[in-house]
Amino acid sequence: MEDTSKYLIHADVTAEGVVERSDVVGAIFGQTEGLLGDELDLRDLRQSQKVGRIDVEIVSTGGQSRGHLTIATSLDKVETATLAAALETIDRVGPCRADLEVTEIEDVRAAKRKAVVDRAKELLQTGFDDSVMSSEEILAEVRQHVRVEDITEYEGLPAGPRVTDSDAIIVVEGRADVLTLLKYGVKNAIAVEGTNVPDAVAELTHHRTVTAFLDGDRGGDLILEELSQVGDVDYVAFAPAGESVEDLDHHQLFTALRNKVPYDTVSGMNEPREAVAATDGSSTPAPAPTESSTDRDADDSSQAIDGPVTSPPETASPSAPTGDTDGRDETVDDGAVRDDVSDASASAETGSDAIVEDVTSDAEPETVYGHATAIVRRNTGRVRFLDADGDTVDEADASEAYDSLEGLETAPTTIVLDEILDQRLLDLAADRGVERIVAHSLGQFTKRPTAVQIHAIDEIADEPPNTE
């Protein structure tokens, strides 16, 4: 009956004497019998389950009894109201004079509807997860989970899955550093787990191209010193001063790796970090540029902002890979990145109209250098598409770069993007025949189309090379 009841009749009962529940129920059935005819006879309604159980709560104090009764019905409104009025004709309960007054007829469905509305409001405020993820965020989180799950062991030491078959490795301090590198797609890192370099790592360094990527503190100097004594180190990179590799974000991590220097340039120094000028947070700035800043060499060195102004890294990088061989980490293609920049500079020397024109501050930039400064260095959060003459084809928010490129009728020659360049946009650019992309920073890539030159802003000079 509780599942089908529509109304609840509430009534107060008062008796001038001591009575019990059974007396009240008996009075209701006895004094309403035959009052409303056969169709509304309370006993028949009870047997057909159109009227539910009569609930009575009664208390006797001071020679009087007072209580409350409730009757559930599945009758319609008219029949329920009639039955309720019949209850008020009861004038005796047991041997005592009594009075019964209906106080309320409750619509059970209305009460349920109110409860539904109240609960719906509560669920609307607390039941939904407001952190709706975009498709890019979903894919990035899944990729990150897969990369973290990829951590393996090499001779009992935390390592990325490519350490065993890569011809280049990155030696870091601890497991957390390996996880951080995996998060950004670098799978050829191995941890020494402290300042005592294990024999397995020392032996491995004799058969690989080794980059020591260490924390920017005294501990990093000590690990490098021991590693150089028991193993073979080719390149050295440090986190910014006072920071750990595990705490670096994407941009800081790859900037530090791109600014690595050959070990020979820091060998024998008490604090090798002084020779590695970190891009962000270093206590030791990079050496000042020479007076002949218009020379070709000065132009080349300016393409790595705040990077080491030394020639050995430029000549050694192409011949010695320094990252994962599967091409997921831009540090792997460090030589290729520098070659791309050199090719761009070479084309500038031969008179390429796309990147040798002077940049004016009064009008729209006329060169890729000027557009890179206007869009990326000024942190506009925009993307600009350029044609072969360096003129703007279209411009949009950086977050809409993919849709904007997809919707262009004429494919641009160059894309200038104030955002991290990801694999999805790079693939679309290659499909549409884009020749060059300049981005705020480069993401991790599973493949790098050879037809598209890609550069982070740190690799691009502020101004075109002097061709005079």
Side-chain angles (χ1 to χ4, degrees), residues 145-217:
H145 176 74
V146 170
R147 289 169 186 147
V148 172
E149 290 295 324
D150 280 342
I151 190 168
T152 60
E153 288 189 354
Y154 178 86
E155 300 291 336
L157 298 169
R162 297 300 307 276
V163 166
T164 56
D165 57 7
S166 176
D167 61 355
I169 62 171
I170 299 175
V171 178
V172 294
E173 183 173 343
R175 178 186 179 86
D177 299 338
V178 176
L179 288 173
T180 298
L181 289 167
L182 278 174
K183 183 171 69 173
Y184 297 124
V186 182
K187 297 190 174 185
N188 59 335
I190 184 171
V192 296
E193 293 282 72
T195 57
N196 186 18
V197 179
D199 294 338
V201 175
E203 176 64 24
L204 187 64
T205 61
H206 294 294
H207 308 286
R208 301 286 195 276
T209 300
V210 178
T211 297
F213 187 20
L214 306 170
D215 295 345
D217 54 21

Side-chain angles (χ1 to χ4, degrees), residues 239-277:
E243 296 190 32
S244 300
V245 173
E246 64 185 275
D247 298 327
L248 302 183
D249 59 25
H250 178 277
H251 177 70
Q252 291 175 317
L253 186 141
F254 285 116
T255 298
L257 284 174
R258 278 195 293 267
N259 288 334
K260 65 185 177 296
V261 298
Y263 173 71
D264 293 342
T265 64
V266 299
S267 176
M269 292 186 177
N270 291 331
E271 294 186 3
R273 284 172 289 131
E274 294 182 354
V276 182

Side-chain angles (χ1 to χ4, degrees), residues 104-122:
E104 179 188 7
I105 299 178
E106 178 185 354
D107 188 336
V108 175
R109 294 167 299 178
K112 289 183 178 179
R113 284 192 288 267
K114 184 177 184 304
V116 168
V117 171
D118 292 341
R119 181 57 178 160
K121 292 177 180 178
E122 181 182 349

Side-chain angles (χ1 to χ4, degrees), residues 53-389:
R53 183 172 180 270
I54 301 175
D55 293 323
V56 179
E57 296 178 357
I58 194 161
V59 178
S60 299
T61 57
Q64 283 193 336
S65 299
R66 298 179 183 276
H68 182 81
L69 65 87
T70 303
I71 303 176
T73 80
S74 60
L75 304 172
D76 61 23
K77 284 185 176 181
V78 175
E79 293 171 332
T80 300
T82 302
L83 180 60
L87 295 177
E88 293 189 340
T89 64
I90 297 172
D91 56 4
R92 298 190 72 86
V93 174
C96 307
R97 293 182 60 82
D99 179 65
L100 193 148
E101 180 183 3
V102 175
T103 58
E104 179 188 7
I105 299 178
E106 178 185 354
D107 188 336
V108 175
R109 294 167 299 178
K112 289 183 178 179
R113 284 192 288 267
K114 184 177 184 304
V116 168
V117 171
D118 292 341
R119 181 57 178 160
K121 292 177 180 178
E122 181 182 349
L123 291 175
L124 189 61
Q125 294 177 350
T126 63
F128 290 94
D129 184 4
D130 294 333
S131 58
V132 179
M133 301 176 66
S134 65
S135 58
E136 291 81 3
E137 291 172 333
I138 293 173
L139 295 176
E141 183 167 330
V142 173
R143 289 193 189 101
Q144 177 177 340
H145 176 74
V146 170
R147 289 169 186 147
V148 172
E149 290 295 324
D150 280 342
I151 190 168
T152 60
E153 288 189 354
Y154 178 86
E155 300 291 336
L157 298 169
R162 297 300 307 276
V163 166
T164 56
D165 57 7
S166 176
D167 61 355
I169 62 171
I170 299 175
V171 178
V172 294
E173 183 173 343
R175 178 186 179 86
D177 299 338
V178 176
L179 288 173
T180 298
L181 289 167
L182 278 174
K183 183 171 69 173
Y184 297 124
V186 182
K187 297 190 174 185
N188 59 335
I190 184 171
V192 296
E193 293 282 72
T195 57
N196 186 18
V197 179
D199 294 338
V201 175
E203 176 64 24
L204 187 64
T205 61
H206 294 294
H207 308 286
R208 301 286 195 276
T209 300
V210 178
T211 297
F213 187 20
L214 306 170
D215 295 345
D217 54 21
R218 180 59 179 163
D221 293 339
L222 296 176
I223 293 175
L224 177 61
E225 182 178 356
E226 179 169 349
L227 184 62
S228 64
Q229 293 176 4
V230 300
D232 186 8
V233 182
D234 297 291
Y235 295 93
V236 179
F238 282 99
E243 296 190 32
S244 300
V245 173
E246 64 185 275
D247 298 327
L248 302 183
D249 59 25
H250 178 277
H251 177 70
Q252 291 175 317
L253 186 141
F254 285 116
T255 298
L257 284 174
R258 278 195 293 267
N259 288 334
K260 65 185 177 296
V261 298
Y263 173 71
D264 293 342
T265 64
V266 299
S267 176
M269 292 186 177
N270 291 331
E271 294 186 3
R273 284 172 289 131
E274 294 182 354
V276 182
T279 302
D280 184 17
S282 175
S283 59
T284 304
T290 61
E291 294 181 359
S292 56
S293 57
T294 57
D295 293 340
R296 173 65 178 154
D297 291 339
D299 288 329
D300 288 341
S301 62
S302 68
Q303 294 179 3
I305 297 178
D306 293 335
V309 188
T310 56
S311 57
E314 298 288 331
T315 57
S317 295
S319 62
T322 59
D324 191 349
T325 56
D326 67 354
R328 286 194 170 191
D329 172 18
E330 52 261 59
T331 62
V332 178
D333 297 326
D334 191 48
V337 170
R338 297 174 188 274
D339 288 342
D340 289 342
V341 179
S342 298
D343 292 341
S345 299
S347 65
E349 288 185 347
T350 58
S352 173
D353 293 337
I355 56 175
V356 298
E357 299 174 0
D358 293 334
V359 178
T360 63
S361 57
D362 316 353
E364 178 179 311
E366 299 180 357
T367 68
V368 173
Y369 298 93
H371 287 289
T373 297
I375 294 296
V376 183
R377 289 193 173 94
R378 294 178 183 173
N379 299 318
T380 61
R382 306 280 290 174
V383 60
R384 182 174 290 176
F385 303 97
L386 310 177
D387 59 17
D389 297 326

Side-chain angles (χ1 to χ4, degrees), residues 441-462:
S441 59
L442 307 182
Q444 58 276 358
F445 306 115
T446 56
K447 58 180 180 179
R448 290 180 68 159
T450 57
V452 184
Q453 296 183 11
I454 58 177
H455 309 289
I457 190 63
D458 290 348
E459 301 165 2
I460 302 298
D462 293 338

